[in-house]
Amino acid sequence: MTRIFYTKPSITDLEKKYAADAVDTGWGAKCYDYINRFEALFADYLGVKYAIATSSCTGALQMGLAALGVGKGDEVILADTNWIATAAPILHLGAKPIFVDILPDTWCLDPAQVEARITPRTKAIVATHIYGNLCDMDALLSISERYKIAVIEDAAEAIGSSNRDRKAGSMGLFGTFSFHGTKTVTTGEGGMFVTNDAELFEKVLTLSNHGRARGQTRQFWPDVIGFKFKMSNVQAAIGCGQIERIEELVGRKREILSLYKDKLGTLSDVFLNPEHAETINGAWMPTVVLSERLGITTKNLQEAFQEADVDARVFFHPLSSLPMFEKHCENANLYNLNAWSIPQRAINLPSYHDMSSDDIDRVSNVVLDLVSRRR
Ligand SMILES: *Cc1c(COP(=O)(O)O)cnc(C)c1O
């Protein structure tokens, strides 16, 4: 029996061909060719006007928030259930993160909680589409309009997710993506900033290049203090191959989630990533959440998976439970109830492109066995 890993990228001869070409010829006058192509392919896929390739999603978020003017004294609302990458840029810019609870079915921001936590200092709302599940963007965009507060999307986990033909990442004022090795589309490390706002695009483009504006004719002349969060041409070459295969990559993710749902989705008290009416779930990470009633803990799940030699990941800890955020949100366990409760009875399932049906059966059986023993 071999170990089943939870994620592995899918790299074919296409990506290898482009990467080798970038290494051979992508220098000097051609050093931006694959970057330009990757950005154009990505913008076209997402249906947005502008895309800027970055070194990471974290970097894209930091530049976007900086371009919005987020800084000292400002508050930014986000879900308590998040990877720390979504919160760190807020703190680096000197602003305060406000962690709100998630909905029990999508595990994403609860719009009612968002509205309740708005203050005169609220500068932005970050909608993270967790594990491919979509936030309720209609509700969040309505809040954005009523309060004149920007809603932005951390779509790192949601490539391929959409709501009524609007792709995740294209609905807010700007969106960010990650191409880390564990994500559906990978360039090793990397990210993307996308927007339809021309002014914001110019600001982030300038910030991304150490503050050097596009129209600036003086050489080595930064107009503002910026960042150096750019992607290399070789990484972009791999990204071009991945985007040409995007339907295949997302299609397989969706197929794997659907196979898990066939096996586990019909059990009562067992919940997987939802797909609500008029939405498509890009299914980045199939996740099982058990109802409290079953009495099966994450620790029980981890031990069972360990025994079966299956690599499974814990559901995100609430950010408010991490020591560095304690002073920002005392007693968050008393109000962010779902964000604190769900991780105690949930697990992410393996979902890499090349896993076999037998692998999926083996993983499913671990959950099936545990659940059936409790009945
Ligand atoms: C992976 C991830 C990030 C970070 O992406 P990097 O490219 O590693 O910076 C940010 N937000 C979410 C929700 C993620 O899943």
Side-chain angles (χ1 to χ4, degrees):
M1 201 166 61
T2 52
R3 185 166 181 78
I4 300 177
F5 291 96
Y6 83 93
T7 149
K8 255 190 259 185
S10 166
I11 301 295
T12 64
D13 286 344
L14 184 67
E15 289 88 342
K16 290 182 205 168
K17 188 178 87 180
Y18 288 162
D21 181 53
V23 171
D24 275 343
T25 69
W27 310 103
K30 298 178 74 173
C31 74
Y32 297 118
D33 284 9
Y34 277 108
I35 297 172
N36 293 337
R37 192 161 135 203
F38 185 35
E39 289 173 343
L41 283 170
F42 199 87
D44 185 56
Y45 170 72
L46 217 67
V48 293
K49 287 192 189 142
Y50 311 105
I52 301 172
T54 59
S55 52
S56 70
C57 177
T58 313
L61 268 171
Q62 183 153 353
M63 291 194 292
L65 292 168
L68 287 184
V70 170
K72 224 174 159 54
D74 293 332
E75 295 176 353
V76 176
I77 297 177
L78 69 162
D80 204 349
T81 299
N82 250 309
W83 177 223
I84 194 164
T86 315
I90 298 167
L91 284 120
H92 287 315
L93 290 167
K96 182 179 173 184
I98 304 293
F99 301 123
V100 307
D101 204 11
I102 54 171
L103 293 168
D105 58 341
T106 62
W107 320 320
C108 289
L109 268 184
D110 179 343
Q113 295 297 319
V114 170
E115 192 161 2
R117 303 286 295 279
I118 289 175
T119 74
R121 293 179 297 282
T122 309
K123 191 84 179 201
I125 298 161
V126 185
T128 304
H129 305 295
I130 217 81
Y131 302 141
N133 306 349
L134 283 165
C135 293
D136 183 346
M137 287 306 289
D138 287 336
L140 293 173
L141 291 171
S142 150
I143 293 172
S144 169
E145 209 156 277
R146 279 182 281 128
Y147 291 86
K148 307 287 173 232
I149 295 169
V151 168
I152 64 182
E153 294 174 86
D154 180 346
E157 305 184 358
I159 198 160
S161 298
S162 62
N163 176 326
R164 284 184 276 120
D165 291 333
R166 300 170 302 172
K167 289 219 163 65
S170 73
M171 294 177 266
L173 182 54
F174 70 79
T176 60
F177 288 85
S178 172
F179 309 124
H180 179 254
T182 56
K183 301 286 157 66
T184 301
V185 164
T186 188
T187 59
E189 294 278 0
M192 194 71 83
F193 171 91
V194 299
T195 186
N196 284 311
D197 187 302
E199 199 183 326
L200 196 61
F201 165 68
E202 288 295 340
K203 270 192 191 164
V204 171
L205 195 62
T206 299
L207 285 177
S208 76
N209 193 20
H210 267 321
R212 296 185 288 181
R214 256 208 298 195
Q216 181 54 260
T217 49
R218 274 180 286 185
Q219 277 190 325
F220 290 114
W221 189 267
D223 292 281
V224 291
I225 297 268
F227 301 92
K228 189 63 194 302
F229 292 160
K230 293 178 29 153
M231 177 180 280
S232 78
N233 203 47
V234 177
Q235 289 172 299
I238 297 170
C240 286
Q242 293 265 286
I243 290 295
E244 284 184 30
R245 297 178 52 227
I246 183 77
E247 300 301 342
E248 178 201 343
L249 293 173
V250 172
R252 180 60 183 152
K253 280 286 188 184
R254 288 178 47 72
E255 194 172 53
I256 291 169
L257 175 60
S258 148
L259 290 167
Y260 279 130
K261 282 191 171 176
D262 289 347
K263 288 258 160 198
L264 303 169
T266 52
L267 300 173
S268 53
D269 297 315
V270 177
F271 305 93
L272 286 98
N273 313 47
E275 191 166 64
H276 289 316
E278 299 191 301
T279 70
I280 288 175
N281 194 319
W284 171 59
M285 188 145 289
T287 298
V288 163
V289 173
L290 306 177
S291 79
E292 270 168 85
R293 200 154 52 141
L294 282 175
I296 299 170
T297 64
T298 299
K299 193 155 175 286
N300 299 146
L301 287 161
Q302 281 180 288
E303 282 165 2
F305 276 112
Q306 182 74 31
E307 201 146 304
D309 209 10
V310 172
D311 197 16
R313 271 199 343 182
V314 299
F315 196 98
F316 288 127
H317 308 286
L319 292 177
S320 61
S321 71
L322 302 180
M324 57 288 216
F325 294 124
E326 252 164 38
K327 66 177 189 304
H328 286 296
C329 39
E330 268 175 65
N331 303 323
N333 58 320
L334 301 180
Y335 52 89
N336 289 344
L337 299 177
N338 292 319
W340 278 71
S341 159
I342 292 172
Q344 297 173 26
R345 45 188 168 84
I347 202 98
N348 300 144
L349 307 178
S351 64
Y352 62 92
H353 192 82
D354 295 321
M355 74 188 293
S356 68
S357 319
D358 284 351
D359 291 339
I360 292 171
D361 284 349
R362 215 174 103 196
V363 175
S364 304
N365 286 337
V366 175
V367 179
L368 278 171
D369 285 354
L370 260 183
V371 171
S372 62
R373 267 188 275 145
R374 289 302 162 114
R375 284 185 202 280

